[in-house]
mmCIF file with all atom_site columns, all heavy atoms in Angstrom:
data_model
loop_
_atom_site.group_PDB
_atom_site.id
_atom_site.type_symbol
_atom_site.label_atom_id
_atom_site.label_alt_id
_atom_site.label_comp_id
_atom_site.label_asym_id
_atom_site.label_entity_id
_atom_site.label_seq_id
_atom_site.pdbx_PDB_ins_code
_atom_site.Cartn_x
_atom_site.Cartn_y
_atom_site.Cartn_z
_atom_site.occupancy
_atom_site.B_iso_or_equiv
_atom_site.pdbx_formal_charge
_atom_site.auth_seq_id
_atom_site.auth_comp_id
_atom_site.auth_asym_id
_atom_site.auth_atom_id
_atom_site.pdbx_PDB_model_num
ATOM 1  N N   . SER A 1 295 ? 16.442 0.471  -35.816 1.00 90.00 ? 295 SER A N   1
ATOM 2  C CA  . SER A 1 295 ? 17.220 1.102  -36.878 1.00 90.00 ? 295 SER A CA  1
ATOM 3  C C   . SER A 1 295 ? 17.339 0.198  -38.097 1.00 90.00 ? 295 SER A C   1
ATOM 4  O O   . SER A 1 295 ? 17.032 0.598  -39.230 1.00 90.00 ? 295 SER A O   1
ATOM 5  C CB  . SER A 1 295 ? 18.609 1.472  -36.348 1.00 90.00 ? 295 SER A CB  1
ATOM 6  O OG  . SER A 1 295 ? 18.522 2.321  -35.225 1.00 90.00 ? 295 SER A OG  1
ATOM 7  N N   . VAL A 1 296 ? 17.775 -1.037 -37.861 1.00 89.00 ? 296 VAL A N   1
ATOM 8  C CA  . VAL A 1 296 ? 17.952 -1.979 -38.974 1.00 89.00 ? 296 VAL A CA  1
ATOM 9  C C   . VAL A 1 296 ? 16.604 -2.342 -39.592 1.00 89.00 ? 296 VAL A C   1
ATOM 10 O O   . VAL A 1 296 ? 16.448 -2.400 -40.819 1.00 89.00 ? 296 VAL A O   1
ATOM 11 C CB  . VAL A 1 296 ? 18.692 -3.239 -38.486 1.00 89.00 ? 296 VAL A CB  1
ATOM 12 C CG1 . VAL A 1 296 ? 18.779 -4.273 -39.604 1.00 89.00 ? 296 VAL A CG1 1
ATOM 13 C CG2 . VAL A 1 296 ? 20.088 -2.884 -37.991 1.00 89.00 ? 296 VAL A CG2 1
ATOM 14 N N   . GLY A 1 297 ? 15.606 -2.590 -38.742 1.00 88.00 ? 297 GLY A N   1
ATOM 15 C CA  . GLY A 1 297 ? 14.293 -2.998 -39.237 1.00 88.00 ? 297 GLY A CA  1
ATOM 16 C C   . GLY A 1 297 ? 13.619 -1.931 -40.063 1.00 88.00 ? 297 GLY A C   1
ATOM 17 O O   . GLY A 1 297 ? 12.979 -2.233 -41.079 1.00 88.00 ? 297 GLY A O   1
ATOM 18 N N   . THR A 1 298 ? 13.743 -0.681 -39.668 1.00 90.00 ? 298 THR A N   1
ATOM 19 C CA  . THR A 1 298 ? 13.109 0.397  -40.418 1.00 90.00 ? 298 THR A CA  1
ATOM 20 C C   . THR A 1 298 ? 13.734 0.541  -41.801 1.00 90.00 ? 298 THR A C   1
ATOM 21 O O   . THR A 1 298 ? 13.030 0.739  -42.805 1.00 90.00 ? 298 THR A O   1
ATOM 22 C CB  . THR A 1 298 ? 13.219 1.726  -39.643 1.00 90.00 ? 298 THR A CB  1
ATOM 23 O OG1 . THR A 1 298 ? 12.603 1.583  -38.363 1.00 90.00 ? 298 THR A OG1 1
ATOM 24 C CG2 . THR A 1 298 ? 12.539 2.850  -40.409 1.00 90.00 ? 298 THR A CG2 1
ATOM 25 N N   . VAL A 1 299 ? 15.055 0.451  -41.876 1.00 91.00 ? 299 VAL A N   1
ATOM 26 C CA  . VAL A 1 299 ? 15.727 0.519  -43.170 1.00 91.00 ? 299 VAL A CA  1
ATOM 27 C C   . VAL A 1 299 ? 15.288 -0.629 -44.072 1.00 91.00 ? 299 VAL A C   1
ATOM 28 O O   . VAL A 1 299 ? 14.977 -0.430 -45.263 1.00 91.00 ? 299 VAL A O   1
ATOM 29 C CB  . VAL A 1 299 ? 17.263 0.497  -42.984 1.00 91.00 ? 299 VAL A CB  1
ATOM 30 C CG1 . VAL A 1 299 ? 17.967 0.375  -44.332 1.00 91.00 ? 299 VAL A CG1 1
ATOM 31 C CG2 . VAL A 1 299 ? 17.730 1.749  -42.260 1.00 91.00 ? 299 VAL A CG2 1
ATOM 32 N N   . ALA A 1 300 ? 15.230 -1.833 -43.512 1.00 90.00 ? 300 ALA A N   1
ATOM 33 C CA  . ALA A 1 300 ? 14.791 -3.000 -44.295 1.00 90.00 ? 300 ALA A CA  1
ATOM 34 C C   . ALA A 1 300 ? 13.351 -2.838 -44.761 1.00 90.00 ? 300 ALA A C   1
ATOM 35 O O   . ALA A 1 300 ? 13.004 -3.182 -45.908 1.00 90.00 ? 300 ALA A O   1
ATOM 36 C CB  . ALA A 1 300 ? 14.929 -4.270 -43.452 1.00 90.00 ? 300 ALA A CB  1
ATOM 37 N N   . MET A 1 301 ? 12.515 -2.275 -43.893 1.00 89.00 ? 301 MET A N   1
ATOM 38 C CA  . MET A 1 301 ? 11.113 -2.072 -44.253 1.00 89.00 ? 301 MET A CA  1
ATOM 39 C C   . MET A 1 301 ? 10.969 -1.078 -45.413 1.00 89.00 ? 301 MET A C   1
ATOM 40 O O   . MET A 1 301 ? 10.179 -1.289 -46.340 1.00 89.00 ? 301 MET A O   1
ATOM 41 C CB  . MET A 1 301 ? 10.352 -1.579 -43.024 1.00 89.00 ? 301 MET A CB  1
ATOM 42 C CG  . MET A 1 301 ? 8.847  -1.757 -43.103 1.00 89.00 ? 301 MET A CG  1
ATOM 43 S SD  . MET A 1 301 ? 8.051  -1.121 -41.613 1.00 89.00 ? 301 MET A SD  1
ATOM 44 C CE  . MET A 1 301 ? 8.963  -2.003 -40.348 1.00 89.00 ? 301 MET A CE  1
ATOM 45 N N   . ILE A 1 302 ? 11.739 -0.010 -45.375 1.00 91.00 ? 302 ILE A N   1
ATOM 46 C CA  . ILE A 1 302 ? 11.679 0.991  -46.442 1.00 91.00 ? 302 ILE A CA  1
ATOM 47 C C   . ILE A 1 302 ? 12.132 0.391  -47.773 1.00 91.00 ? 302 ILE A C   1
ATOM 48 O O   . ILE A 1 302 ? 11.481 0.569  -48.812 1.00 91.00 ? 302 ILE A O   1
ATOM 49 C CB  . ILE A 1 302 ? 12.555 2.207  -46.073 1.00 91.00 ? 302 ILE A CB  1
ATOM 50 C CG1 . ILE A 1 302 ? 11.944 2.954  -44.876 1.00 91.00 ? 302 ILE A CG1 1
ATOM 51 C CG2 . ILE A 1 302 ? 12.698 3.145  -47.261 1.00 91.00 ? 302 ILE A CG2 1
ATOM 52 C CD1 . ILE A 1 302 ? 12.826 4.062  -44.344 1.00 91.00 ? 302 ILE A CD1 1
ATOM 53 N N   . LEU A 1 303 ? 13.238 -0.349 -47.736 1.00 92.00 ? 303 LEU A N   1
ATOM 54 C CA  . LEU A 1 303 ? 13.754 -0.947 -48.973 1.00 92.00 ? 303 LEU A CA  1
ATOM 55 C C   . LEU A 1 303 ? 12.779 -1.969 -49.545 1.00 92.00 ? 303 LEU A C   1
ATOM 56 O O   . LEU A 1 303 ? 12.519 -1.984 -50.763 1.00 92.00 ? 303 LEU A O   1
ATOM 57 C CB  . LEU A 1 303 ? 15.107 -1.611 -48.692 1.00 92.00 ? 303 LEU A CB  1
ATOM 58 C CG  . LEU A 1 303 ? 16.250 -0.661 -48.309 1.00 92.00 ? 303 LEU A CG  1
ATOM 59 C CD1 . LEU A 1 303 ? 17.508 -1.454 -47.968 1.00 92.00 ? 303 LEU A CD1 1
ATOM 60 C CD2 . LEU A 1 303 ? 16.536 0.337  -49.430 1.00 92.00 ? 303 LEU A CD2 1
ATOM 61 N N   . LEU A 1 304 ? 12.215 -2.821 -48.687 1.00 91.00 ? 304 LEU A N   1
ATOM 62 C CA  . LEU A 1 304 ? 11.281 -3.846 -49.160 1.00 91.00 ? 304 LEU A CA  1
ATOM 63 C C   . LEU A 1 304 ? 9.974  -3.224 -49.645 1.00 91.00 ? 304 LEU A C   1
ATOM 64 O O   . LEU A 1 304 ? 9.340  -3.745 -50.567 1.00 91.00 ? 304 LEU A O   1
ATOM 65 C CB  . LEU A 1 304 ? 11.011 -4.863 -48.051 1.00 91.00 ? 304 LEU A CB  1
ATOM 66 C CG  . LEU A 1 304 ? 12.159 -5.830 -47.748 1.00 91.00 ? 304 LEU A CG  1
ATOM 67 C CD1 . LEU A 1 304 ? 11.860 -6.666 -46.510 1.00 91.00 ? 304 LEU A CD1 1
ATOM 68 C CD2 . LEU A 1 304 ? 12.402 -6.747 -48.953 1.00 91.00 ? 304 LEU A CD2 1
ATOM 69 N N   . THR A 1 305 ? 9.558  -2.124 -49.026 1.00 89.00 ? 305 THR A N   1
ATOM 70 C CA  . THR A 1 305 ? 8.338  -1.454 -49.475 1.00 89.00 ? 305 THR A CA  1
ATOM 71 C C   . THR A 1 305 ? 8.534  -0.869 -50.869 1.00 89.00 ? 305 THR A C   1
ATOM 72 O O   . THR A 1 305 ? 7.658  -0.969 -51.737 1.00 89.00 ? 305 THR A O   1
ATOM 73 C CB  . THR A 1 305 ? 7.944  -0.343 -48.486 1.00 89.00 ? 305 THR A CB  1
ATOM 74 O OG1 . THR A 1 305 ? 7.757  -0.910 -47.187 1.00 89.00 ? 305 THR A OG1 1
ATOM 75 C CG2 . THR A 1 305 ? 6.661  0.343  -48.928 1.00 89.00 ? 305 THR A CG2 1
ATOM 76 N N   . PHE A 1 306 ? 9.690  -0.262 -51.108 1.00 89.00 ? 306 PHE A N   1
ATOM 77 C CA  . PHE A 1 306 ? 9.997  0.247  -52.443 1.00 89.00 ? 306 PHE A CA  1
ATOM 78 C C   . PHE A 1 306 ? 10.032 -0.885 -53.461 1.00 89.00 ? 306 PHE A C   1
ATOM 79 O O   . PHE A 1 306 ? 9.583  -0.727 -54.607 1.00 89.00 ? 306 PHE A O   1
ATOM 80 C CB  . PHE A 1 306 ? 11.344 0.970  -52.434 1.00 89.00 ? 306 PHE A CB  1
ATOM 81 C CG  . PHE A 1 306 ? 11.255 2.422  -52.087 1.00 89.00 ? 306 PHE A CG  1
ATOM 82 C CD1 . PHE A 1 306 ? 11.944 2.935  -50.997 1.00 89.00 ? 306 PHE A CD1 1
ATOM 83 C CD2 . PHE A 1 306 ? 10.482 3.289  -52.847 1.00 89.00 ? 306 PHE A CD2 1
ATOM 84 C CE1 . PHE A 1 306 ? 11.858 4.280  -50.669 1.00 89.00 ? 306 PHE A CE1 1
ATOM 85 C CE2 . PHE A 1 306 ? 10.393 4.636  -52.539 1.00 89.00 ? 306 PHE A CE2 1
ATOM 86 C CZ  . PHE A 1 306 ? 11.082 5.130  -51.441 1.00 89.00 ? 306 PHE A CZ  1
ATOM 87 N N   . ARG A 1 307 ? 10.565 -2.035 -53.049 1.00 87.00 ? 307 ARG A N   1
ATOM 88 C CA  . ARG A 1 307 ? 10.766 -3.150 -53.968 1.00 87.00 ? 307 ARG A CA  1
ATOM 89 C C   . ARG A 1 307 ? 9.492  -3.947 -54.229 1.00 87.00 ? 307 ARG A C   1
ATOM 90 O O   . ARG A 1 307 ? 9.185  -4.273 -55.373 1.00 87.00 ? 307 ARG A O   1
ATOM 91 C CB  . ARG A 1 307 ? 11.838 -4.091 -53.395 1.00 87.00 ? 307 ARG A CB  1
ATOM 92 C CG  . ARG A 1 307 ? 12.164 -5.305 -54.229 1.00 87.00 ? 307 ARG A CG  1
ATOM 93 C CD  . ARG A 1 307 ? 12.900 -4.933 -55.479 1.00 87.00 ? 307 ARG A CD  1
ATOM 94 N NE  . ARG A 1 307 ? 13.273 -6.102 -56.265 1.00 87.00 ? 307 ARG A NE  1
ATOM 95 C CZ  . ARG A 1 307 ? 13.865 -6.042 -57.445 1.00 87.00 ? 307 ARG A CZ  1
ATOM 96 N NH1 . ARG A 1 307 ? 14.148 -4.864 -57.976 1.00 87.00 ? 307 ARG A NH1 1
ATOM 97 N NH2 . ARG A 1 307 ? 14.184 -7.142 -58.090 1.00 87.00 ? 307 ARG A NH2 1
#
Side-chain angles (χ1 to χ4, degrees):
S295 303
V296 175
T298 302
V299 172
M301 199 181 307
I302 292 173
L303 294 176
L304 287 172
T305 302
F306 272 121
R307 180 70 178 176

